[in-house]
Amino acid sequence: MPERPILPLWAAVAASVAGGLALTTAYPALGWWPAVFVAVPLVLVGLIGRRAWSALLVGFAFGASFFLVNLSFTARYLGPVPWLALSILEAALTAACAVPIALAYRWLPRALPGRWARLVALPALVAALWTMRELLLGSFPYGGFPWGRVGVTQANGPFAEVASWVGMSGLSFLVVFACAAGIERARERGLGDIRAALPAALTLVVLFATPQFPTTDAGSIRVGAAQGNGPSGYFDQHAANAVLNAQLEATAPIIGKAMDVLLWPESGVDSDPTRNATTARALDTLAERVDAPLLLAAVTQRGDDYFNTSMLWEAGADNPVATYDKRHPVPFGEYVPDRWFYRLFAPDLIDLVQREYTPGASPPVLDVGGVEVGLAICFDVIYDDVVWDGARAGAEVYMLQTNNADFRGTSENLQQLAFARMRAIETGRAVVNISTVGTSQVIAPDGTEITGIEADAAGHLLTDVPLRTGLTPASVIGPWLQALFGWGSVLAVGLLGVLARRRGREKTPTPGGSAFS
């Protein structure tokens, strides 16, 4: 007998909208992490028993309600067009990914009719398909945008330490598995059988009781950092070197104090010091005055190519002595893919992006006075490959440089900071997250705050930051788990479809419902 929908279509759509809105509250600024355990079941219940076209509708309702709110920061300065375009694209991909989840609910009970297959295998497949959706959105199109992952909702919750074992994708899987297993327990007729609650209950116990994987203490590094709060936004009108001067002013109180490195944010230098002699001299002077290397960031040009570059600058050296170029430039922010096509629809907006940034190819690690420093520039932090590559290359601490000026007054900086906190836990490394305008923060390897600077204020930090060595399991097996969740789940659905059809041929055909049930 085919799986029947639990909810009529109108109620399934309403539940998905409610689920999407509820899920937005699990992210900063609210950060109500338990909301995920309400939001995910609302969406999944609406997909049970659905056919493909109705699953598309339910999935789109969820995606639109979630992303239109969660990504509203993109409209802060650029207006509604980029916000709507990105949100609708993410919603459309979410709708497409809702179909295999609905198929899993229809096919697995027919292919594997046992009770425990429904209680364990079905939630596992549903959770893997949900995680597959996150991975797809994080890689497609144009490199993707891995924002709004379920794992990030736990940054301030009791389950975050599990990420050190299985990564953020693994944490997403476990949270969704607990939700899906809870649904199957609720669908059981024999409510008195406590064994049916074991899959969900044991998963919650694992999430709650698993400690962070330990990494090895390797001393500390004394970090000075400055948040200049200068006019670093895309539309900020300012004189030449106004951002540089703001950074110098914010740095002034810690000049003369002992430090191992001075860290500045992305776009903290608003001219290319590799081509501007005046800027280079100012940085040489600063490096001499602080008696420590500078780790700064600026737009650099090499030939016809532009890069968003983190660079190590030392007094008396042939500078920069080392560089890292941002690996994931932001589509439609730092470059425009297929410019000719999109210019047909919004020429004024497309023409605002005048430079075409080239993706970097160097390892995201620099040697700073004998300490291996992992790097990520702005949205680089949301991409697993950058952070994992840094860990595997020997990073003992992460220094993240970002410019949040284009999103002042929104929750974007806090959502990005949640990623930074999860990266600290995931890798067992301290993270220094420095922004042009805030929020800047030094995060301990266990994810707790050491010190910070509030948003929209100039300030400085000077603190000892712990160093760690040793790889967490997440840094080692993370890519393999993602392959399992992604390709494995899709192959599993295909195999279940074959098995379900074979079993269907062995029985008398039963008339199905409408194609839009």
Side-chain angles (χ1 to χ4, degrees):
M1 184 73 177
E3 186 82 40
R4 305 300 300 174
I6 292 178
L7 301 174
L9 183 57
W10 68 267
V13 171
S16 291
V17 170
L21 295 175
L23 189 57
T24 65
T25 68
Y27 297 86
L30 292 175
W32 295 342
W33 63 266
V36 72
F37 294 97
V38 176
V40 172
L42 282 171
V43 179
L44 295 182
V45 165
L47 289 173
I48 293 175
R50 302 255 82 90
R51 291 182 179 272
W53 287 109
S54 57
L56 278 171
L57 179 60
V58 171
F60 185 83
F62 160 61
S65 62
F66 173 69
F67 286 111
L68 284 169
V69 176
N70 186 253
L71 297 177
S72 59
F73 61 80
T74 58
R76 178 67 176 86
Y77 287 102
L78 293 176
V81 173
W83 164 56
L84 290 172
L86 179 58
S87 299
I88 297 304
L89 171 63
E90 301 290 82
L93 293 173
T94 296
C97 292
V99 174
I101 293 177
L103 294 176
Y105 275 118
R106 293 179 69 88
W107 288 344
L108 191 142
R110 291 160 59 187
L112 303 172
R115 183 190 187 203
W116 288 103
R118 179 186 286 271
L119 291 172
V120 178
L122 180 56
L125 180 56
V126 168
L129 289 166
W130 184 291
T131 309
M132 179 273 292
R133 177 192 65 85
E134 294 185 350
L135 295 172
L136 176 66
L137 269 61
S139 58
F140 176 84
Y142 307 124
F145 189 57
W147 202 261
R149 299 162 72 175
V150 163
V152 181
T153 66
Q154 304 305 300
N156 294 313
F159 305 146
E161 294 184 354
V162 175
S164 66
W165 296 85
V166 294
M168 271 194 279
S169 291
L171 182 54
S172 290
F173 170 84
L174 290 171
V175 169
V176 176
F177 177 88
C179 294
I183 291 172
E184 295 311 309
R185 172 65 186 93
R187 296 174 70 196
E188 280 281 300
R189 292 188 177 88
L191 294 178
D193 187 352
I194 194 172
R195 293 176 300 174
L198 285 177
L202 289 176
T203 303
L204 291 174
V205 169
V206 167
L207 285 166
F208 184 78
T210 301
Q212 184 182 13
F213 185 86
T215 48
T216 303
D217 186 355
S220 65
I221 181 172
R222 190 159 182 79
V223 179
Q227 175 181 298
N229 199 40
S232 53
Y234 206 85
F235 297 105
D236 288 343
Q237 300 295 319
H238 59 82
N241 287 328
V243 178
L244 171 62
N245 291 332
Q247 286 296 133
L248 289 169
E249 185 176 347
T251 303
I254 57 175
I255 291 178
K257 297 182 180 180
M259 67 184 79
D260 297 313
V261 62
L262 174 63
L263 177 66
W264 277 10
E266 176 192 28
S267 303
V269 179
D270 43 354
S271 57
D272 182 356
T274 67
R275 302 170 74 91
N276 187 312
T278 301
T279 301
R281 284 194 296 270
L283 296 176
D284 287 339
T285 301
L286 179 62
E288 291 174 359
R289 294 184 66 194
V290 300
D291 193 25
L294 314 178
L295 189 54
L296 49 91
V299 177
T300 61
Q301 183 179 0
R302 282 160 248 165
D304 294 330
D305 294 329
Y306 290 91
F307 299 87
N308 190 343
T309 304
S310 178
M311 60 190 80
L312 188 64
W313 202 276
E314 297 179 352
D318 183 11
N319 286 305
V321 298
T323 62
Y324 162 72
D325 299 314
K326 186 177 182 181
R327 186 177 291 184
H328 295 279
V330 179
F332 304 100
E334 293 176 311
Y335 77 103
V336 180
D338 301 320
R339 179 183 286 266
W340 67 270
F341 175 75
Y342 294 105
R343 199 174 183 279
L344 297 175
F345 303 97
D348 292 339
L349 281 173
I350 295 301
D351 288 345
L352 287 174
V353 184
Q354 298 178 2
R355 291 171 174 164
E356 295 283 332
Y357 288 80
T358 301
S362 58
V365 173
L366 296 182
D367 184 321
V368 181
V371 173
E372 296 296 321
V373 175
L375 300 170
I377 300 175
C378 198
F379 285 142
D380 260 357
V381 72
I382 71 179
Y383 292 90
D384 295 324
D385 65 300
V386 176
V387 177
W388 290 343
D389 285 356
R392 290 192 290 264
E396 300 168 84
V397 62
Y398 285 94
M399 298 188 186
L400 313 182
Q401 299 163 295
T402 184
N403 176 18
N404 306 102
D406 287 323
F407 308 111
R408 287 181 188 262
T410 73
S411 65
E412 184 276 339
N413 68 312
L414 297 177
Q415 290 195 53
Q416 187 176 329
L417 195 62
F419 271 96
R421 183 172 294 112
M422 288 302 300
R423 295 308 187 187
I425 296 169
E426 183 182 48
T427 62
R429 303 291 193 276
V431 168
V432 184
N433 185 85
I434 188 69
S435 171
T436 48
V437 300
T439 302
S440 296
Q441 200 169 94
V442 181
I443 304 168
D446 64 359
T448 58
E449 179 183 354
I450 296 176
T451 187
I453 307 171
E454 293 299 319
D456 301 317
H460 62 270
L461 302 169
L462 184 61
T463 188
D464 292 317
V465 180
L467 302 176
R468 293 287 188 273
T469 58
L471 293 176
T472 62
S475 301
V476 177
I477 68 171
W480 298 98
L481 285 177
Q482 289 186 341
L484 177 63
F485 297 143
W487 293 110
S489 64
V490 172
L491 291 173
V493 170
L495 179 60
L496 288 172
V498 173
L499 293 175
R501 286 178 179 275
R502 286 182 178 177
R503 286 186 175 273
R505 293 193 191 103
E506 296 171 0
K507 300 179 180 180
T508 303
T510 302
S514 71
F516 208 76
S517 63

